[in-house]
Amino acid sequence: MGHFLGTFQTRDLDMEMNLQPTFDSNIGFKTRRTQRKMVACEEDLMSARVPPQYRDYCAHILLNYLVCRYKHMPFVYKCAHEKHNYMNCEQADYVLRMKEFEREKRLRQREKRLKQESNS
Amino acid sequence: MMKFLMLMIFTIPLCFKKNMFWMVQNMLFLMFFMFMNLMIDILYYCNLSYVFSCDILSYGLILLSIWICILMVLASENLFKMNFYYNFFMLNLLLLLIMLFMTFSVMNLFLFYLFFESSLIFTLLLIIGWGYQPERIQAGVYLLFYTLFASLPLLMGIFYVYYKMNYMMMYFMKFFSFELYLLYISMIFAFLVKMPMYFIHLWLPKAHVEAPVSGSMVLAGIMLKLGGYGLLRVFILFQKIGLKMNIIFIVISLLGGFYLSLKCFCQIDIKSLIAYSSVVHMSMVIGGIMTMNYWGFLGSYILMIGHGLCSSGMFCLANINYERLHSRSLYINKGMMMLMPSMSMWWFLMLSSNMAAPPSLNLLGEISLINSLLKWSYFTMIMLMFISFFSAAYCLYLYSYIQHGGGYLGIYSFYMGLSREYLLLLLHWLPLNILVLKVDYFMIWF
Amino acid sequence: MFKNSICFVSFFFLFLFSLINFFFFLFFMIYNYVIFLEWELISFSSMSLVMSILLDWMSLLFMMFVLLISSVVIYYSKSYMSSEMNLNRFIMLVLLFVFSMVLLIISPNIISILLGWDGLGLVSYCLVIYYQNIKSYNAGMLTALSNRIGDVFILMVIFWMMNYGSWNYVFYMDFMKNDYVMELMSIMIIIAAMTKSAQIPFSAWLPAAMAAPTPVSALVHSSTLVTAGVYLLIRFNVLLLDKFFLKILLLLSGLTMFMAGISANYEFDLKKIIALSTLSQLGLMMSILSMGMAELAFFHLLTHAMFKALLFMCAGVIIHMMNDIQDIRFMGGISNFIPYTSLYMNISNMALCGIPFLAGFYSKDLILDMVMMKNLNFFVFFLYFISTGLTMFYSFRLSMYLMINDFNLLSVYNLYDEDLVMLKSMFVLMMMSIFSGSMLMWFIFSYPYVIYLPINLKLMVIYVSLFGMLMGYMISSMEIYLMNKFSYIYNLSSFLCLMWFMPNLSTYGLNYYFLNMGQMMLKKIDMGWSEFYSGQGMFMIMKKYTIFYNFFQMNNNFNIYLFSFVLWMIIYLMILMVM
C-alpha cells in the first residue's frame, strides 16, 4: 500500500513498480560506479536448493544463516545474529533499490523539464 | 453348476417339515460358501455344464441373490413366530431363488427370458400373499402388467434374433450386429421397465411399499438388477445403433433422476422414500450403461451390487420400525434415537452408504459413473451435480426426521433392537463397505 | 480419573501421537524429507485408483496441532460433558472426526481427500445435531448441505483429473499450470474450499453451527473443519497463482473478513461472537492465500487454531458457570469468580488481536506487513485494516461485557472456578498459544520475510487496534443496543447485524424453489400424466371398452340376439357365395 501511495507522483512519468533503470548508470556521479558482485557461487546455491527468488546479492549471508539453522536445529534462536546480518543486507539492498527508483524518477523529471524548456 | 440347482431343488421338501425355518437358511449359507469356491476369470465364461455357465457379471449377481435370499429369511422371522404359512413362504423363496439362479447362469437368450418372466410370478405371490395392506393387489397388478407389457416385444425380438442368428448362445452375440430400430426398442424396453427408467417407474414405489420386507428386499436387491443384467448382455448386439439412439434414454434417465430426487422430499412414507431413491440410483446406472463406455459398464455393475445391499438394508431398517409401530409414516416414526440408539447408528451407516459416502461400494460406482457420463458429454455435469447433492439432502432428511426430535406420544410399548436385527444389518453393511478393499478382483468383468 | 476412562485413554494416545508427530516434523524439516506411501486399489483403462499417504513437514506439523487440540478437547469434555448419558457416543464421534481430518491432511490424492472431506462433513453433521432440539436440527442441516456442495465439486474435480492419468495431484500441479482443464479444476477447488471454510456465499452455516456442544465447537469450528478448506488451497496453491479467479477470491474473502467483524459487534450470544471471529480470521487466511503467500496462511492457520480453541474452551467454562446461559448481557465481573479462566480468556483475546509477542502477533502482524509491502489497491487495504480494528473492537467489547462490567444475572449466586480437568486442558493450550507463535516462526521460515516500511504504516496496526479498543469501550459502556431500534438507521443496522442476509439466502432463498418444484412434479407427473398414460389410463380405457362390449354380450336383449344372428347368416352366405 505504501508503494501504491508512492506511485502517485510518478503517474505522469510512466513509471511503475518493476521497472529497470533506463538511463546510463554513471550520469551525475563523480566516481565510476561498479557492478555489484555475486559472492555466493552457483554450485553452493544449487546444492543448498535455494529457491530462485532468494538467489540475489545477499545470498552468501543467507547461506550462512541456513548453515547455522541446520547446525543448531531445533534451537534456531541461537542463529539470531546471522538472521540479523541477512536482514541488514536485505535492507541495504532495498534502500539501494529505492534510491535507484528515486534517481530514475528525478532523471525523468529533469528530462521532461529540459524538453519543456526546449519546446517553449 | 448343476450341483447348486440340485441343492436348491432338494431343499424344497425340507420346507414342509415343521420347525425347519432356520435349516433352510443354513442350506442357503452352505450354497453361498460352495458358490464362492468356484473359480472365475474375466473375458470368458467359466464353469460350463449343460446350459449353465458364469462369468464375473453373473457370478457376482448370483452371489448377491443368494445373499439377499439368506437375509430375507433372517428378516422374516415374524412369519415363523406367528406361524403365518411359513412353509409356503420358504417354498416361494426357494423357487424364486431357483429362477433367479437360472436367469443369471444360463447361456441361452431364450432360457434367460423364460426364467426372467417366471421370477415375476413368485415375486407376485410374495407380494400378494404376505403383504400388509389391501393396496397390495393393485401393486401386484402394476408389477405384473408393466413388466409383461414390455417383455412380450422382447420375446418377439428374441425369436427374430434366433431367426437371423440361428443360435442363442450369449457368447456368440458379439459377432453379430443388428441395425433395426424396432428390434432395438423392443429388446431394450423390457429391461428399461425393469430397471426402471423415469417415466415407466410407477410400478416400483407401489410394489416396494406394499411388499412384505422380504419382498422389498428381493425387489430392491435383485429384481432391478435383472434389468441391468439384461441390458448389459443384450447391448452387445446393438452397439452401433446404441451409439446413435442412447442419447434419448440417457437424457430421460438423468433428468428423471433429478426430478425424482426432488420428489423424495415430498414423501411421507419411509419405504416410498427409499423406493424413489432406488430409482434415482438406477437412473444413474442406466445412464452409465447407455454411454457404452468401459467405465460405464464397470461402474454400473459396481453400483448395482452396492445398491442391492444398501437398499435392501434400508428396507430392513424400515421394517424394524414397522414391526414395532405398525406404521411407515414419517409422522409416527420420530425420535427413534431415544428409543433405539444403536439402531440409529445403523440408520446412519446405511443412509451414508446410500448417499455415496466413502468407503462404500456406492461411492466407487458413483465415481465411475460420473466419470463415464461426463466423458460422454460435459453437459451432464449439471444434472449429476444436482443428483449427488440432493441424494445427500434426502438421506439426511430421512435420517434426521426418523431419529431426532421429540417422539410420537402415542407409543404404548416398544422393544429395543434384537440381536437378529443387528446381525441382519451387519450382514448388509459389511460386504458393502469391506468389498471396496479388493474391488479389482470383481469389478473388471470384461 | 478412570470414571470416564474413554476420555482419558483417548487423550493419552492422541497426546502421545501429537508429540511423536512433533519430533517427526523436526526431523523431516531438517532433512527436507518426504515419505510417500501408495497402495493400489484398482487399475483399469489407464487410470489407477490408489490410496496414498504423503508425509512431509507440512502435514506432520498440521497433524501435530490437530491431534494436540483434539486430545486436549477430549480431556476437557470429560468434565464438560460429564452429565451426558451417552458420553461414549460423543467421544466416538469426536475420534471419528479426528480420523477423517488426519486422512484429509495426509492425502496427496484427490480420492483420499474425498474420503476425508466427506467424512468430515458427515461427522460434523452428527456432532452438530448432538443435542436434539430444533435449533441443532436446522443448524445440522445447514452445515451438512453447505459442506455437501463442496463435496459435489470435488467429485467433479475427480472427473476432470482423469485427463491427466492419475489422481495424485502433487505430480501434475507444477507442470500443467496453464492447461485449461487445470484452470477449470482450480475454480472448482476454490469453490469447494469456500464452502468448507464458510466464505461469503456460504457463510451461513458457521454461526448456526454453534448449536453444537462447546467441545465440538472448540475442535471442529475453530481449528479443524473450517481450516480444511484453507489447507486444501494451501496444497493446491501452485495452481492459484496468476489466475483471474484469485481476484474474486480475494474480494470475497476480504468481504467475509469485514462482514464477520461487523456482525460480531452486534451479537450478544457468546459463542456466536467467537464463531464470527473465527469467520473473520478465516477470511484473513483465505485472502492472504489469494495473494500468493501460502506459507503465511498456514502459519496463521496454526496459531489461530491454538488461541481460538482456548477461547472456545473458556467460553464453555463460562457457560457452565452461568447455568447454561450464553447471553453476554447476563455476564459480568467473572474475573472475581473464575480468575484462572478469565486469565486464559484474556490471553487468548489478546493473542487474537495481535498484542505484541503473543502467538497471534507473529502471524497476524507478518501478514499485515506483507500486505503493506505488496502492491494493492485502496479497497483491499481498507478491508484488511478495518477488519483488524474490528477484531480489536469486538474482542475488547467481549472483555468489557464479561469482565469489566457488573454481574447481571441473579441476586444470590455461588460461582466458582471449574474443576481441575478443564483448567489443566486449558493450561496446555494457553502455553501453546503464548509460545507457539515464536516457535513456529523460527521453525517454519527458513527464508525470512523482509519488511521495510515507513514508521506510520508500520504503526498503522497499532493505530487501528487502539481505535478499535476505544470503540469497544464506548460501545459496551453505553446502552447502545437500544439505538438499533431507531428507524433512522434500522435498515442499515439490520443488514449489518444479520450477516448481510446470507442465512436467509442459504435457507429460504433456495429451499422454496426446489421443494415447490418437487411437489409440483409429484402431483402433475407422477400422480398425473404418467399414470394417465400407463396404469390408471389403461384401466379407464379398458373399463370403458369392456362396458361397451358387455352391452352386446351380457344383456340378454332379444333385439341384439336377432340382429347378430342375421349378421352372421349374411356373412356365412357371402362366404358360401364366394367359394
Side-chain angles (χ1 to χ4, degrees):
Chain A
M1 162 74 187
H3 305 276
F4 181 70
L5 285 178
T7 57
F8 270 130
Q9 288 179 346
T10 56
R11 284 293 168 77
D12 47 352
L13 294 171
D14 284 335
M15 287 187 77
E16 52 179 36
M17 289 295 304
N18 297 324
L19 219 50
Q20 295 289 326
T22 49
F23 292 90
D24 183 27
S25 46
N26 282 319
I27 293 177
F29 282 96
K30 296 203 181 79
T31 56
R32 198 162 173 81
R33 289 170 77 184
T34 54
Q35 191 160 16
R36 284 193 283 183
K37 278 206 176 16
M38 185 74 179
V39 177
C41 58
E42 186 72 17
E43 299 93 49
D44 283 349
L45 287 174
M46 270 168 48
S47 85
R49 295 195 288 181
V50 177
Q53 66 258 32
Y54 294 104
R55 296 185 190 186
D56 55 1
Y57 290 104
C58 297
H60 54 292
I61 311 185
L62 177 64
L63 282 177
N64 282 342
Y65 174 60
L66 288 175
V67 162
C68 170
R69 266 177 70 95
Y70 182 80
K71 273 199 319 208
H72 287 120
M73 200 52 118
F75 304 111
V76 193
Y77 65 94
K78 293 183 181 167
C79 291
H81 187 68
E82 278 82 1
K83 188 174 176 187
H84 184 69
N85 286 347
Y86 179 65
M87 292 294 200
N88 276 345
C89 176
E90 283 285 340
Q91 191 243 16
D93 182 81
Y94 195 84
V95 167
L96 190 65
R97 277 184 280 141
M98 275 195 338
K99 286 181 181 171
E100 283 290 339
F101 190 84
E102 184 66 26
R103 177 174 180 262
E104 178 74 23
K105 180 180 101 178
R106 286 188 191 176
L107 280 173
R108 285 197 190 190
Q109 278 171 341
R110 174 177 173 263
E111 191 187 357
K112 198 167 168 187
R113 192 180 30 120
L114 287 178
K115 200 189 281 188
Q116 269 178 347
E117 280 175 4
S118 73
N119 276 347
S120 67
Chain B
M1 294 289 282
M2 283 286 282
K3 55 182 179 265
F4 301 107
L5 185 61
M6 289 298 132
L7 199 160
M8 287 188 282
I9 290 180
F10 285 111
T11 322
I12 291 181
L14 198 57
C15 308
F16 291 105
K17 273 180 77 77
K18 211 163 163 324
N19 284 338
M20 278 291 156
F21 192 72
W22 298 116
M23 197 60 192
V24 171
Q25 190 193 29
N26 234 345
M27 287 292 135
L28 290 178
F29 263 119
L30 183 67
M31 178 173 159
F32 182 78
F33 288 122
M34 275 169 64
F35 198 79
M36 277 211 306
N37 287 330
L38 291 176
M39 300 294 287
I40 45 167
D41 206 351
I42 68 172
L43 287 178
Y44 46 80
Y45 291 84
C46 317
N47 293 313
L48 299 166
S49 83
Y50 293 103
V51 294
F52 301 121
S53 72
C54 59
D55 65 340
I56 296 190
L57 177 63
S58 38
Y59 179 78
L61 286 169
I62 296 177
L63 269 182
L64 183 67
S65 49
I66 304 175
W67 192 246
I68 297 284
C69 287
I70 291 173
L71 295 176
M72 274 161 76
V73 177
L74 195 54
S76 313
E77 194 211 10
N78 224 8
L79 298 177
F80 180 52
K81 263 196 314 205
M82 301 292 154
N83 205 356
F84 188 58
Y85 301 105
Y86 63 89
N87 297 329
F88 293 107
F89 176 74
M90 306 299 300
L91 177 67
N92 205 359
L93 194 142
L94 275 173
L95 286 171
L96 180 61
L97 183 58
I98 291 177
M99 296 304 151
L100 286 172
F101 175 80
M102 306 282 270
T103 315
F104 288 124
S105 57
V106 290
M107 289 243 290
N108 191 332
L109 199 56
F110 176 71
L111 281 178
F112 162 72
Y113 173 78
L114 193 74
F115 293 116
F116 177 78
E117 293 301 314
S118 48
S119 60
L120 260 184
I121 299 180
F122 297 110
T123 317
L124 181 73
L125 282 176
L126 202 54
I127 293 178
I128 296 192
W130 286 275
Y132 301 125
Q133 275 95 22
E135 286 88 0
R136 66 192 193 261
I137 302 179
Q138 196 195 33
V141 167
Y142 261 65
L143 167 72
L144 201 65
F145 280 100
Y146 260 83
T147 318
L148 276 180
F149 175 68
S151 62
L152 289 173
L154 173 64
L155 185 64
M156 294 297 119
I158 290 178
F159 286 159
Y160 183 76
V161 166
Y162 179 62
Y163 171 61
K164 282 285 179 185
M165 278 199 334
N166 266 328
Y167 41 75
M168 289 252 87
M169 290 288 131
M170 285 196 209
Y171 186 70
F172 299 118
M173 290 195 318
K174 61 185 178 185
F175 300 115
F176 241 90
S177 153
F178 287 98
E179 294 187 21
L180 303 166
Y181 289 94
L182 191 58
L183 183 66
Y184 167 75
I185 293 283
S186 60
M187 285 195 79
I188 64 170
F189 194 58
F191 302 119
L192 286 177
V193 166
K194 199 83 174 154
M195 277 300 279
M197 199 175 71
Y198 176 52
F199 286 115
I200 29 187
H201 69 284
L202 290 168
W203 62 272
L204 189 127
K206 291 196 169 50
H208 277 199
V209 168
E210 303 303 333
V213 62
S214 42
S216 290
M217 282 166 75
V218 77
L219 269 172
I222 299 295
M223 306 295 280
L224 268 53
K225 318 314 182 249
L226 280 175
Y229 177 77
L231 269 182
L232 286 171
R233 290 287 191 218
V234 150
F235 250 117
I236 306 175
L237 285 172
F238 297 114
Q239 286 174 22
K240 197 164 167 202
I241 196 172
L243 285 172
K244 211 175 359 175
M245 299 289 288
N246 281 344
I247 180 170
I248 306 173
F249 300 112
I250 296 182
V251 167
I252 294 179
S253 49
L254 277 184
L255 271 177
F258 168 52
Y259 293 151
L260 282 165
S261 51
L262 285 182
K263 287 178 206 179
C264 281
F265 285 104
C266 310
Q267 303 298 326
I268 50 171
D269 189 340
I270 304 179
K271 276 177 110 167
S272 172
L273 209 153
I274 304 173
Y276 274 102
S277 93
S278 284
V279 186
V280 173
H281 283 283
M282 283 299 128
S283 78
M284 277 206 296
V285 170
I286 294 178
I289 298 178
M290 295 278 180
T291 55
M292 314 278 282
N293 277 338
Y294 191 65
W295 276 86
F297 272 39
L298 301 191
S300 61
Y301 176 58
I302 283 283
L303 191 59
M304 285 203 294
I305 293 193
H307 170 259
L309 289 166
C310 190
S311 272
S312 163
M314 287 199 295
F315 279 118
C316 291
L317 281 165
N319 183 57
I320 288 172
N321 272 346
Y322 182 79
E323 278 178 4
R324 288 155 175 77
L325 297 168
H326 283 291
S327 162
R328 294 187 298 262
S329 159
L330 275 178
Y331 297 119
I332 297 182
N333 285 309
K334 303 193 307 179
M336 286 291 134
M337 199 192 258
M338 297 187 302
L339 298 170
M340 287 196 289
S342 304
M343 204 54 83
S344 110
M345 178 183 84
W346 286 109
W347 268 107
F348 189 72
L349 286 176
M350 281 295 162
L351 281 170
S352 70
S353 300
N354 196 24
M355 68 167 110
S360 59
L361 278 178
N362 283 356
L363 175 71
L364 194 59
E366 217 177 90
I367 289 180
S368 313
L369 287 175
I370 286 178
N371 284 343
S372 83
L373 278 165
L374 278 175
K375 204 66 189 167
W376 181 80
S377 159
Y378 295 148
F379 293 114
T380 54
M381 186 154 71
I382 309 169
M383 282 304 133
L384 281 171
M385 289 210 292
F386 277 127
I387 290 180
S388 293
F389 178 68
F390 283 115
S391 315
Y394 65 68
C395 287
L396 286 178
Y397 165 72
L398 183 63
Y399 175 73
S400 54
Y401 229 100
I402 294 183
Q403 302 303 122
H404 286 271
Y408 178 62
L409 294 171
I411 297 177
Y412 177 65
S413 68
F414 200 86
Y415 57 98
M416 302 265 291
L418 304 170
S419 319
R420 166 184 67 88
E421 292 163 349
Y422 290 126
L423 178 67
L424 181 65
L425 293 167
L426 182 76
L427 290 177
H428 274 111
W429 182 80
L430 262 184
L432 184 60
N433 284 39
I434 303 288
L435 273 179
V436 78
L437 295 173
K438 192 59 185 152
V439 73
D440 58 341
Y441 184 60
F442 66 92
M443 182 163 165
I444 304 180
W445 59 273
F446 72 99
Chain C
M1 183 193 271
F2 295 111
K3 180 168 167 273
N4 288 326
S5 61
I6 182 174
C7 291
F8 183 69
V9 167
S10 38
F11 156 71
F12 179 71
F13 278 108
L14 286 174
F15 198 74
L16 191 69
F17 286 142
S18 159
L19 284 178
I20 292 175
N21 273 329
F22 180 61
F23 289 118
F24 275 130
F25 151 69
L26 286 176
F27 181 73
F28 278 47
M29 182 82 194
I30 299 174
Y31 296 111
N32 212 358
Y33 202 51
V34 171
I35 291 185
F36 194 96
L37 301 165
E38 232 182 35
W39 177 50
E40 188 180 277
L41 269 178
I42 183 174
S43 142
F44 62 96
S45 158
S46 86
M47 293 291 295
S48 35
L49 185 66
V50 294
M51 176 74 204
S52 332
I53 293 181
L54 173 78
L55 295 174
D56 68 344
W57 66 269
M58 213 193 288
S59 35
L60 284 171
L61 187 61
F62 198 18
M63 264 211 294
M64 174 209 147
F65 272 77
V66 164
L67 291 173
L68 180 70
I69 296 182
S70 53
S71 68
V72 161
V73 160
I74 289 181
Y75 191 58
Y76 172 86
S77 61
K78 182 164 117 102
S79 156
Y80 190 84
M81 309 278 288
S82 59
S83 60
E84 175 75 34
M85 271 175 23
N86 296 324
L87 187 59
N88 281 343
R89 172 151 59 108
F90 182 71
I91 301 293
M92 287 292 173
L93 282 173
V94 174
L95 286 174
L96 207 58
F97 179 83
V98 173
F99 175 65
S100 307
M101 187 70 196
V102 165
L103 207 57
L104 184 90
I105 293 173
I106 59 177
S107 57
N109 187 358
I110 201 100
I111 301 249
S112 39
I113 281 189
L114 185 70
L115 250 83
W117 196 273
D118 260 330
L120 281 181
L122 287 178
V123 180
S124 69
Y125 170 74
C126 284
L127 284 171
V128 169
I129 59 174
Y130 192 75
Y131 294 147
Q132 302 167 35
N133 47 16
I134 296 205
K135 208 145 181 263
S136 304
Y137 169 64
N138 290 332
M141 270 302 192
L142 191 53
T143 305
L145 293 179
S146 300
N147 285 330
R148 187 70 189 170
I149 299 181
D151 286 347
V152 165
F153 277 104
I154 292 198
L155 277 173
M156 295 299 137
V157 168
I158 288 180
F159 162 65
W160 285 105
M161 210 147 214
M162 262 179 72
N163 222 1
Y164 293 114
S166 92
W167 283 299
N168 290 328
Y169 60 84
V170 289
F171 296 147
Y172 303 114
M173 278 192 312
D174 287 324
F175 296 107
M176 296 287 175
K177 267 189 284 207
N178 295 324
D179 207 7
Y180 81 95
V181 171
M182 216 32 127
E183 280 193 32
L184 195 62
M185 264 167 51
S186 60
I187 293 178
M188 290 191 180
I189 292 271
I190 289 175
I191 298 182
M194 275 165 67
T195 64
K196 200 69 147 188
S197 293
Q199 303 301 305
I200 277 271
F202 311 109
S203 319
W205 67 268
L206 190 54
M210 290 300 123
T214 310
V216 169
S217 298
L219 179 60
V220 170
H221 300 122
S222 68
S223 33
T224 42
L225 180 69
V226 293
T227 55
V230 184
Y231 183 72
L232 188 72
L233 276 183
I234 291 174
R235 279 285 189 210
F236 274 84
N237 80 305
V238 175
L239 289 183
L240 296 180
L241 307 172
D242 301 331
K243 294 286 188 319
F244 169 69
F245 206 72
L246 270 189
K247 298 193 177 81
I248 301 184
L249 183 65
L250 176 61
L251 184 68
L252 287 175
S253 49
L255 283 176
T256 309
M257 220 174 19
F258 183 58
M259 169 203 78
I262 290 189
S263 301
N265 287 316
Y266 281 96
E267 279 292 339
F268 285 104
D269 183 2
L270 180 60
K271 285 176 71 176
K272 277 223 171 48
I273 296 180
I274 308 180
L276 288 166
S277 151
T278 308
L279 189 55
S280 174
Q281 298 300 307
L282 280 175
L284 179 69
M285 284 183 233
M286 281 286 208
S287 54
I288 196 72
L289 244 181
S290 66
M291 284 208 234
M293 291 180 270
E295 281 182 3
L296 284 181
F298 189 57
F299 185 30
H300 192 59
L301 198 158
L302 297 173
T303 53
H304 168 260
M306 288 288 138
F307 53 75
K308 199 45 74 72
L310 180 61
L311 198 57
F312 267 113
M313 284 167 39
C314 299
V317 173
I318 296 174
I319 291 172
H320 249 13
M321 183 188 81
M322 289 278 167
N323 213 5
D324 298 337
I325 292 179
Q326 295 185 351
D327 203 330
I328 57 176
R329 291 173 287 202
F330 290 111
M331 303 175 192
I334 58 171
S335 39
N336 292 327
F337 307 112
I338 44 172
Y340 274 118
T341 309
S342 63
L343 168 73
Y344 297 147
M345 185 125 206
N346 263 330
I347 290 181
S348 60
N349 259 340
M350 290 197 290
L352 174 58
C353 302
I355 300 292
F357 309 120
L358 288 175
F361 166 74
Y362 286 97
S363 55
K364 218 165 163 197
D365 201 63
L366 191 56
I367 286 178
L368 289 170
D369 288 340
M370 287 307 288
V371 160
M372 286 193 278
M373 289 280 286
K374 292 230 174 221
N375 195 9
L376 293 172
N377 67 1
F378 185 64
F379 180 60
V380 175
F381 180 77
F382 169 79
L383 283 178
Y384 270 102
F385 281 90
I386 297 291
S387 308
T388 311
L390 284 172
T391 304
M392 191 66 186
F393 188 177
Y394 59 71
S395 301
F396 196 70
R397 171 178 173 262
L398 185 65
S399 300
M400 286 284 297
Y401 266 99
L402 283 179
M403 294 179 230
I404 304 177
N405 285 348
D406 296 324
F407 187 65
N408 281 333
L409 188 57
L410 299 167
S411 324
V412 181
Y413 47 87
N414 174 22
L415 306 173
Y416 60 100
D417 208 343
E418 279 301 299
D419 51 73
L420 213 51
V421 171
M422 292 207 243
L423 285 180
K424 276 191 284 198
S425 47
M426 289 197 286
F427 178 75
V428 173
L429 279 186
M430 179 200 77
M431 280 294 151
M432 284 301 286
S433 108
I434 294 179
F435 292 120
S436 69
S438 72
M439 183 179 84
L440 278 178
M441 193 263 304
W442 279 110
F443 285 146
I444 299 181
F445 295 119
S446 310
Y447 305 101
Y449 286 100
V450 180
I451 312 287
Y452 186 72
L453 290 167
I455 184 74
N456 276 331
L457 274 186
K458 180 74 181 169
L459 288 180
M460 183 66 119
V461 183
I462 311 256
Y463 296 156
V464 292
S465 301
L466 285 176
F467 186 68
M469 203 186 321
L470 182 69
M471 296 295 296
Y473 169 70
M474 282 168 40
I475 282 278
S476 55
S477 60
M478 291 194 246
E479 319 238 314
I480 205 161
Y481 56 87
L482 288 175
M483 282 177 83
N484 286 340
K485 308 296 186 249
F486 290 169
S487 60
Y488 176 62
I489 51 165
Y490 186 63
N491 286 339
L492 180 65
S493 69
S494 62
F495 174 68
L496 291 175
C497 91
L498 289 176
M499 278 178 67
W500 299 1
F501 300 131
M502 258 177 308
N504 288 349
L505 185 72
S506 297
T507 50
Y508 298 133
L510 294 178
N511 278 356
Y512 181 68
Y513 178 64
F514 285 110
L515 286 178
N516 221 13
M517 192 155 88
Q519 174 78 352
M520 179 192 76
M521 276 194 257
L522 186 70
K523 287 282 184 254
K524 292 186 186 167
I525 301 183
D526 255 27
M527 299 186 190
W529 288 103
S530 286
E531 287 281 1
F532 180 74
Y533 280 119
S534 37
Q536 299 296 328
M538 286 289 160
F539 178 57
M540 284 194 278
I541 290 177
M542 303 238 176
K543 215 164 54 166
K544 189 167 143 189
Y545 286 118
T546 45
I547 292 176
F548 182 65
Y549 293 133
N550 234 2
F551 177 67
F552 292 107
Q553 289 168 356
M554 301 288 276
N555 277 358
N556 284 335
N557 232 342
F558 195 59
N559 287 346
I560 297 177
Y561 176 68
L562 273 182
F563 178 70
S564 57
F565 178 72
V566 166
L567 195 64
W568 280 111
M569 289 309 292
I570 293 176
I571 291 176
Y572 177 60
L573 285 173
M574 280 170 67
I575 291 176
L576 275 182
M577 283 199 313
V578 166
M579 280 181 12

